[in-house]
Amino acid sequence: MKRIHNFSAGPAVLPLEVLEKVQAELVNYRDKGSSLIEMSHRGAEYTEINELATQRLKAITGAGDDWEVLFLQGGASTQFTMVPHNFLAPGQTADYIDTGSWSSKAIKEANLFGNVHVAFSGKERNYSRLPGTDELLFSENPVYTHFTSNNTIFGTQFYSEPETGGSLLVCDASSDFLSHPIDIEKYGLIYAGAQKNLGPAGVTIVMLRKSFLELQKKDPIPTILNYNTHIGTLFNTPPVFAVYMVNYVLEWIQKKGGLEWFDRFNTEKAYLLYSEIDKDEFYRGTVDKSSRSKMNVTFRLPSEELEKTFLSEAASHNLVALKGHRSVGGIRASIYNACELDSVKALVNFMQHFRAEKG
Ligand SMILES: *Cc1c(COP(=O)(O)O)cnc(C)c1O
């Protein structure tokens, strides 16, 4: 069997051992004569998975008893609405850090509910860098401060949490959740679509702090969009297949050595790629060095013509899904947790040959 070197931004590569485990037990889960995804979500088998995944997420992130874990549907995009629907009342203000397309989408939704104060916007410079601490201008008393930890499209990343004026952070961590340690004490809510760094598409992880939930609005909220509806019980059918796979990915993360291990691993991969980019002028990183993402490495070549050739020749070397997002152009190598070191080495090797030939 030949697997590609997969640099897809999402849905993205998954650990082979997880895929094989699911494959092996797919049609006959634990000798039950059926797959897990043909069973009731209220049965013992799925209940155990839901519980294990919850406990693993808490253990990996260091979240204590003050935290709830929810497995919701609708993608991270639904959280753009659900967060202000629950927490931002008319007349109240939430602070948002605008560092890319996903942040802007979150801001657009929040504007439907209350006041949005944009604490920083990187838009004028086409989102090519993140704010320094002194560039963040917060409002007086925000209900929360929202940020996007990794900007999947532009290729920038917060390595540590932005300082706020005192409010708790709400984070869209869709494209770097569990790629490095976080300071959980600073957060009120973290959400992440699974399909980049955690599993297949179909489930959104929401980690929600109980003390933050106390700030929930008093106005009526549609039942399915109310976080409380999903706490302590399954309100409706969860995406069982996605949660089942996420649970194995979490097990794999723990076995490897948790967030410290992945931090080192992801730093090593990113270093290899950025070093190659920085060797001379042939490859050109698209964002400020201090803001570079260790998950989505974005760069350009001297011409669009060469970029096209790069992509097609890369594909013939088994290096796949490297095309940049249409709003940035160029090349994007997404190197999430499950991207192997060998894949990055193969890409660097190809980049060297390509430069030698065309540079
Ligand atoms: C992909 C992505 C989204 C959108 O996720 P959906 O699950 O497709 O709604 C939101 N935010 C970030 C940072 C992303 O990378």
Side-chain angles (χ1 to χ4, degrees):
M1 176 197 57
K2 180 179 120 183
R3 296 259 300 165
I4 54 168
H5 294 298
N6 185 352
F7 298 96
S8 171
V13 62
L14 287 165
L16 182 59
E17 63 178 81
V18 169
L19 293 172
E20 285 175 339
K21 192 164 176 174
V22 170
Q23 180 185 44
E25 65 186 22
L26 188 65
V27 297
N28 186 12
Y29 183 76
R30 298 194 182 168
D31 268 338
K32 298 287 175 191
S34 99
S35 69
L36 184 275
I37 58 179
E38 297 164 290
M39 297 177 187
S40 166
H41 57 289
R42 311 220 180 252
E45 290 79 10
Y46 181 75
T47 301
E48 185 192 1
I49 287 167
N50 204 91
E51 186 53 31
L52 269 176
T54 299
Q55 291 316 324
R56 286 188 166 129
L57 272 164
K58 287 188 177 186
I60 291 168
T61 58
D65 294 340
D66 195 24
W67 286 84
E68 299 285 353
V69 177
L70 313 176
F71 300 107
L72 304 183
Q73 304 193 51
S77 301
T78 297
Q79 295 307 306
F80 297 163
T81 306
M82 205 160 152
V83 166
H85 216 325
N86 279 260
F87 292 101
L88 186 58
Q92 288 184 322
T93 301
D95 287 2
Y96 277 71
I97 304 175
D98 179 18
T99 51
S101 323
W102 298 118
S103 316
S104 315
K105 287 184 179 171
I107 289 169
K108 179 170 176 245
E109 298 309 305
N111 265 314
L112 300 173
F113 297 93
N115 303 324
V116 173
H117 170 82
V118 177
F120 169 86
S121 177
K123 189 168 182 190
E124 274 167 31
R125 293 190 45 194
N126 200 27
Y127 298 118
S128 59
R129 68 179 183 90
L130 297 180
T133 302
D134 54 347
E135 291 174 293
L136 287 166
L137 303 173
F138 296 108
S139 70
E140 202 110 295
N141 192 20
V143 196
Y144 59 83
T145 299
H146 181 282
F147 78 113
T148 312
S149 51
N150 181 73
N151 299 288
T152 327
I153 293 175
F154 294 93
T156 60
Q157 182 180 22
F158 284 93
Y159 302 130
S160 57
E161 291 79 10
E163 291 299 331
T164 71
S167 71
L168 287 173
L169 289 167
V170 170
C171 180
D172 175 1
S174 292
S175 52
D176 73 344
F177 194 44
L178 309 189
S179 73
H180 66 93
I182 56 170
D183 184 354
I184 193 97
E185 294 307 320
K186 294 187 171 159
Y187 295 84
L189 191 153
I190 305 170
Y191 62 91
Q195 70 271 22
K196 276 116 188 185
N197 211 25
L198 301 169
V203 63
T204 310
I205 315 289
V206 175
M207 293 190 64
L208 175 61
R209 197 169 173 160
K210 287 179 204 160
S211 48
F212 182 59
L213 197 58
E214 284 165 16
L215 302 180
Q216 199 190 33
K217 278 160 43 171
K218 300 292 169 261
D219 321 340
I221 299 166
T223 310
I224 191 122
L225 296 179
N226 188 330
Y227 287 113
N228 270 310
T229 302
H230 302 280
I231 292 177
T233 168
L234 298 177
F235 172 67
N236 67 334
T237 318
V240 292
F241 190 66
V243 178
Y244 163 56
M245 286 196 71
V246 164
N247 180 46
Y248 285 153
V249 172
L250 297 173
E251 180 185 49
W252 169 82
I253 289 174
Q254 288 181 310
K255 269 199 318 211
K256 286 274 190 190
L259 301 188
E260 275 81 17
W261 190 90
F262 277 98
D263 195 13
R264 286 195 300 276
F265 180 57
N266 292 322
T267 301
E268 180 182 1
K269 287 183 291 180
Y271 177 78
L272 283 177
L273 270 172
Y274 285 121
S275 305
E276 197 53 45
I277 290 168
D278 290 340
K279 265 192 190 151
D280 58 26
E281 303 296 301
F282 186 71
Y283 299 110
R284 199 163 30 85
T286 55
V287 301
D288 279 19
K289 285 187 182 174
S290 60
S291 304
R292 282 174 162 176
S293 169
K294 295 177 186 175
M295 299 276 96
N296 310 98
V297 177
T298 50
F299 58 99
R300 309 285 322 229
L301 273 70
S303 71
E304 285 189 19
E305 208 48 47
L306 270 175
E307 286 170 353
K308 271 192 202 142
T309 314
F310 180 94
L311 289 170
S312 65
E313 288 191 13
S316 70
H317 285 80
N318 215 24
L319 302 155
V320 175
L322 285 160
K323 194 170 174 7
H325 191 272
R326 59 190 181 280
S327 58
V328 182
I331 313 297
R332 170 175 55 176
S334 298
I335 52 170
Y336 303 119
N337 282 358
C339 173
E340 300 277 5
L341 188 58
D342 276 352
S343 292
V344 172
K345 285 184 175 165
L347 175 57
V348 167
N349 194 19
F350 171 77
M351 288 167 72
Q352 289 169 349
H353 281 100
F354 194 82
R355 181 205 281 111
E357 210 174 275
K358 318 271 190 205

